[in-house]
Structure formats: structure tokens, C-alpha cells
Amino acid sequence: MDFASKKVLFVGDCNPNGYIYLRSQSIKRIVKKMDLIDVNEYINPSDRFQYSLAYRFQLSIFLKKFNNAIIKKINECDYDLIWFEKPIFIFEETLQIIHQMGIKTVSYNPDNPFGTRHDGCWGLYLKNIKYFSHHIISRRSNYKDLKGLNAKDIIYIPLCSEKRIHFKDENIKKELEVTFIGTPYDSRLEFIDLLSRHLKTSIHVFSAEWKKFNKKIGSRSNVIINDAVYKSKYRSIINKSKIMLGFITRSNKDDLSFRNFEITACGSFLLSQRSSMQERIFRENFEAIYFNDVEDCASKIHHFLIHSDERETIANQGYKRSLELGLDNDFVIKRAFLKVFR
């Protein structure tokens, strides 16, 4: 199917360093016209007090301008689709107007409103689930959750990488022994702290959120906390690392991780928290290695730092598997569009 005639309004967090923006650009490449409405222009995270009230309570006084901007935009252009990313600030009235105009709507949630994290932001979204014409999910458990709240068409798309960012850099020196890039969700702080006690080697952590925990693990000289990295710097860190740690966000009921697709797409060695779903995609001891607990993780780090030939073989097999799967943003967006416009 050709989408070259379609007009799409994309609504979400349009930070150019984020996953959401990358998805928007994949949409832009296949349609006639794509306009953006950046939620951050109307509900600004830098104003922490106001954003907290909007996020936690979805108070209409903070959401009106954002919703009015959406209505104004759809009155200016005949859109075929409104693609909403994590639509926690959308009024029921806004969705009803869109429906009355015969425009399709997609809700895509990378986070999980049915998880155990108690993010506190889902009240308005949960009330509005039935008003979206399509829901896109990346965790299969959400199918039953959404159906229980009268969701209409539910489309599964897999997690993926971005081929324009996540690729293998040739002839790069492996300067970092063990690296983790990501948030301190679940018990990762405690895990890294305990892991560092089992290792002499350095563990490099890259994430803005970890800075606040420096005091807790400051006594661990082999845990090095770094600022967040994006785009080419992000790829460079993955490529420079001998071992990349991967975690699954259990509190989000996740069974896969974006990061693990990106690590293998960069041709680096993946040592991940065990997940039965992920083991079906990247075979254990062939395309990736999985750990069960801190001691198991430490033991495997010791082994694969010493046995570099084994490590490189598994990294190369993981890279080949990534190429074979072909799971990147362009692919999954086209797959979603085929189902939305069928």
C-alpha cells in the first residue's frame, strides 16, 4: 500500500534526542504531509511545579492551550490520521471532535498504564481509551488490558532500533569494559552497586537520572556515572564497550527492551537480564548472553572479558541476527500503517 497521499498530524514529545521524534521522522518519510505538535511547547517540563500538577492530576487549566492547538490544526488541514504518543493530556471532547470529523486516531504508549510503577499520570488516558480508533502496543500483555476497557482496534508492533543512528562503527577501539545506558528503574541501582563489589573492572553508567544517586554509590570507585548520551555519541559508547548490560523493566511489565535491539544493531556484545520473549529473538549463548542475578552476571562478565574470542563471536552473531530481523523504525511504522489504513 502506498501512503504518499496521506496527511498526518503527529502529537507528542518532540525532543529531537528522543525515541518519539525518531518515530515521527519515519512517518514523515512515507506520507505526503506530516505536521508536529510538541506537547512540551504547551506543558513545559522545565516548570516543575506546573508540570507536576498537569502530569499528576491532568488539571484542565494546564491542558486547554494544548488541546486547543490540536483542534485549530485539524480545522486548518484535512488530516487522514492523528498519531498520539502517550496521550495523557488529551480531553475527551478533543477526541470526540476528531471522531466527528472522520479522522483516524492512533494512541501509542511506550510506557505502560497497566504496570506496577504507579506513574500517577494515567487518569485521563484510561477514561479516554474507547475514543481512539486504534491502539498500538509493544507489549502483548496490554492487549487484554485494553480490551477490558473497550478499546477498539489493537495493533502490535515490535520494539526496534533506528538504522540511521544504531549501526556498527568499523575499526573502533573497545575502550570500555562494562557499560550500562539507561534509567535506574526497578532495583538497578542496588544491582549495579552489588555488581561492583564482585568486580575489579570499571562499570560505566550513562544516564542523567543516575547523577542524583552518586552519594549512594560514591564509595564504589569502579562505578563511573556519566551524563546521558544521544545519537552518534550514544552509538559510539555502545561500539566502544566490550560488554553492554541490558535490563528489562519488570515494573512496566516489559518483556523486551529497546536498548537490547540497539546494542545488537551496533554489533556489540549483549549481556542481558533474562527474558523468555527476548531469548526467542536472540538465542542464548549464540547471539546474546543472559543473566539471572548479580552473581551470575558477575561470573559471566569475568568469563567474557577473559575470553574475547567467544565474546566477539557472540557479538557478531547478534549483529547478523539484528540485520536478519530488519526491525527498525521505518519497518515497524509501515507495518502499523498497513493495519491502520487497511
Side-chain angles (χ1 to χ4, degrees), residues 30-51:
I30 64 171
V31 299
K32 178 179 180 179
K33 176 183 174 68
M34 189 207 70
D35 293 321
L36 289 170
I37 292 183
D38 185 357
V39 63
N40 295 326
E41 292 183 10
Y42 301 91
I43 306 166
N44 190 349
S46 63
D47 185 338
R48 292 187 178 182
F49 177 70
Q50 182 172 313
Y51 186 80

Side-chain angles (χ1 to χ4, degrees), residues 99-117:
H99 175 71
Q100 289 165 7
M101 295 176 73
I103 306 171
K104 296 176 183 290
T105 51
V106 157
S107 165
Y108 179 55
N109 255 321
D111 291 328
N112 190 359
F114 308 101
T116 60
R117 279 208 317 240

Side-chain angles (χ1 to χ4, degrees), residues 6-242:
K6 302 300 182 185
K7 299 175 185 177
V8 177
L9 178 61
F10 189 95
V11 182
D13 178 350
C14 297
N15 180 337
N17 291 320
Y19 289 114
I20 294 173
Y21 181 77
L22 293 176
R23 277 193 289 277
S24 77
Q25 297 309 291
S26 286
I27 291 175
K28 186 177 182 179
R29 282 188 284 271
I30 64 171
V31 299
K32 178 179 180 179
K33 176 183 174 68
M34 189 207 70
D35 293 321
L36 289 170
I37 292 183
D38 185 357
V39 63
N40 295 326
E41 292 183 10
Y42 301 91
I43 306 166
N44 190 349
S46 63
D47 185 338
R48 292 187 178 182
F49 177 70
Q50 182 172 313
Y51 186 80
S52 177
L53 291 174
Y55 187 83
R56 292 288 175 183
F57 305 107
Q58 299 95 55
L59 299 176
S60 61
I61 190 172
F62 300 123
L63 311 185
K64 280 184 179 179
K65 286 185 179 179
F66 177 51
N67 281 264
N68 287 342
I70 296 169
I71 299 302
K72 182 175 185 291
K73 205 72 178 172
I74 63 175
N75 283 322
E76 293 173 348
C77 180
D78 296 327
Y79 292 107
D80 300 288
L81 171 69
I82 318 294
W83 181 292
F84 291 100
E85 291 269 345
K86 193 175 180 178
I88 59 174
F89 299 132
I90 309 301
F91 292 150
E92 175 187 328
E93 293 83 357
T94 302
L95 293 169
Q96 287 179 339
I97 290 170
I98 294 169
H99 175 71
Q100 289 165 7
M101 295 176 73
I103 306 171
K104 296 176 183 290
T105 51
V106 157
S107 165
Y108 179 55
N109 255 321
D111 291 328
N112 190 359
F114 308 101
T116 60
R117 279 208 317 240
H118 305 296
D119 293 333
C121 63
W122 299 110
L124 191 57
Y125 168 78
L126 291 171
K127 291 178 182 177
N128 290 336
I129 279 175
K130 64 183 178 181
Y131 297 113
F132 295 95
S133 62
H134 301 79
H135 289 267
I136 293 181
I137 60 172
S138 292
R139 63 182 64 78
R140 296 187 186 277
S141 64
N142 284 160
Y143 185 87
K144 184 178 180 180
D145 298 324
L146 288 166
K147 275 297 182 186
L149 291 174
N150 300 315
K152 297 185 178 75
D153 197 355
I154 303 172
I155 300 166
Y156 174 82
I157 63 171
L159 298 180
C160 63
S161 60
E162 170 52 61
K163 64 184 177 184
R164 292 163 185 83
I165 295 176
H166 311 120
F167 55 83
K168 188 174 183 179
D169 288 324
E170 299 298 334
N171 303 317
I172 193 166
K173 185 178 179 182
K174 297 285 187 180
E175 300 172 348
L176 308 177
E177 293 193 316
V178 180
T179 299
F180 172 63
I181 304 175
T183 57
Y185 284 138
D186 298 349
S187 301
R188 292 172 196 172
L189 176 68
E190 293 78 10
F191 188 100
I192 294 293
D193 186 33
L194 288 171
L195 182 63
S196 69
R197 303 181 193 199
H198 289 77
L199 300 174
K200 292 182 180 179
T201 188
S202 294
I203 305 169
H204 293 265
V205 177
F206 292 84
S207 171
E209 292 94 338
W210 281 72
K211 286 286 187 180
K212 69 182 78 170
F213 300 112
N214 257 337
K215 289 184 179 179
K216 288 189 178 181
I217 53 179
S219 60
R220 306 289 166 214
S221 60
N222 60 335
V223 179
I224 302 166
I225 308 297
N226 303 274
D227 289 328
V229 285
Y230 303 102
K231 296 184 177 179
S232 62
K233 289 184 179 179
Y234 176 85
R235 180 182 68 251
S236 177
I237 293 300
I238 295 176
N239 275 286
K240 287 179 180 178
S241 301
K242 294 178 182 177

